[in-house]
Structures are given as C-alpha cells and as structure tokens.
Amino acid sequence: MFSILFDSPFLFVVLALGAIMFAIAKQEKPEQSRYLNFLLLTLVTFGVILFDNPFKSYLYAGLLFYVYVVYIFIPASLVFGFISIYKSKRHLQYYPSNYSKILKINARILMILSIVNLLMLLMQSEIGIIILVPIVGISSIIQFIYGELESKRVQNLQQQKQEDVPNPGSISNDGDIDEN
C-alpha cells in the first residue's frame, strides 16, 4: 500500500492546491463557521469500514477500504484540516467568543488526527486508522455542533447590527419650519 501512495502524488498536489486557492479566495471575507465537510467525510468512512472491513476473511477483503483511505480519506482530511484551521482562525478574528476558541482548538485537534492518520497509512497500520476514525468522528461532531451554535450567534449579531443602523433613506422633518 505504501507504493500506491508514491505512485499518486497528483491527488495530494491537487488537494493542496485546492486548499491554497480557498485560502486566497477568502482572504478579505469574515468566515462563517460551517464544518459539515469533516462530519460527512467521517460518516462515509464509517460506511466504507462497515461495507468492506479489511479484517474479514475473504480474498479481497479491504480492497475498497485501502483505495478509499489512500485516495480519498487521507488527502481530504488533510485539506479539510487546513481549511478548518484557516476558517476558525479567521472566524475568531472577526467574531471572538468562547465558541470560536473551542472551534479553533478542535480544528487543530482534527488536523493533528489527520496527520496521525497519514502516519498510520505510511506505517501500514489498518487497525490504527480504524481506531482513529471514531475519534475523528467525535471531534467532527463537536466541530459541527459548535459551528452551528456559533453560526446562529453570528446571525443574531448581524441582525442586531442591521437593526441598530438607521435607514439612510428616511429623512425626518422634526426641525423643519412649516411655511403655511
């Protein structure tokens, strides 16, 4: 499996360029904290593990699991890790709160877990990857829940800000002298 990783650096380059392009495109905009990508990736990974467990006893057991982990799970989790660190840092910059701090810490944990998953892949440790997937799942659920709570808080802040700003189209006649 290690040779498969060296035969396909194209996927890593494409996903890394995608993360860099995302960071460049979102440079001036405050980030909304939506973290659905890690949660969906983890759910699909659980499905692949249940469907094609590498520890079953038939001949091609785990082939789909290996292909999925090498070509989709590891590269995507690394990219999602970089993006979630970037988004949480930008979000904390524009909307500081306790939720934002939790999101930033959890994004770093997800990135560390993604790097550990890559190391487990390089060491050819299927059991390590399978053990880390539930931990990534728990962390991604926490990230998603706190992200949704933070999104609602930010929406309320933006709504209050819009209500506080007076409408520039309305002109008052309080100080005008009536000529009649």
Side-chain angles (χ1 to χ4, degrees):
M1 180 167 41
F2 189 62
S3 65
I4 293 173
L5 194 61
F6 285 124
D7 292 341
S8 62
F10 172 74
L11 186 61
F12 286 100
V13 170
V14 169
L15 291 173
L17 288 175
I20 292 168
M21 288 173 40
F22 175 83
I24 291 170
K26 296 285 189 168
Q27 230 172 11
E28 297 297 322
K29 300 174 186 168
E31 289 298 323
Q32 294 290 328
S33 53
R34 298 252 182 214
Y35 297 99
L36 188 59
N37 48 12
F38 251 119
L39 184 62
L40 291 176
L41 181 68
T42 306
L43 291 174
V44 170
T45 305
F46 277 126
V48 169
I49 289 171
L50 291 175
F51 180 72
D52 189 27
N53 191 341
F55 299 112
K56 289 184 179 177
S57 61
Y58 60 90
L59 182 60
Y60 295 109
L63 185 63
L64 175 65
F65 172 77
Y66 292 124
V67 170
Y68 174 77
V69 165
V70 169
Y71 290 108
I72 296 171
F73 179 67
I74 299 294
S77 67
L78 288 171
V79 170
F80 293 160
F82 285 124
I83 290 173
S84 65
I85 286 175
Y86 173 78
K87 285 172 66 172
S88 63
K89 179 184 169 198
R90 295 281 294 185
H91 185 80
L92 183 62
Q93 182 181 13
Y94 287 101
Y95 306 107
S97 72
N98 289 335
Y99 286 156
S100 300
K101 291 175 186 175
I102 291 171
L103 287 171
K104 185 176 179 181
I105 291 168
N106 200 33
R108 288 182 179 169
I109 290 170
L110 282 170
M111 187 62 210
I112 290 169
L113 290 173
S114 298
I115 291 170
V116 171
N117 269 331
L118 177 64
L119 294 176
M120 291 293 173
L121 176 68
L122 294 175
M123 292 186 327
Q124 299 178 359
S125 174
E126 300 89 11
I127 191 73
I129 293 171
I130 291 175
I131 289 172
L132 284 175
V133 168
I135 298 170
V136 170
I138 291 168
S139 188
S140 64
I141 289 170
I142 291 169
Q143 191 80 353
F144 178 72
I145 290 171
Y146 277 104
E148 287 299 313
L149 292 172
E150 183 65 11
S151 293
K152 289 179 184 175
R153 186 187 75 83
V154 168
Q155 286 175 353
N156 289 339
L157 285 174
Q158 289 176 344
Q159 188 177 23
Q160 287 175 355
K161 187 176 181 180
Q162 287 178 353
E163 291 172 358
D164 291 343
V165 175
N167 190 359
S170 64
I171 302 172
S172 70
N173 291 332
D174 293 340
D176 291 346
I177 300 173
D178 194 11
E179 296 179 10
N180 289 332

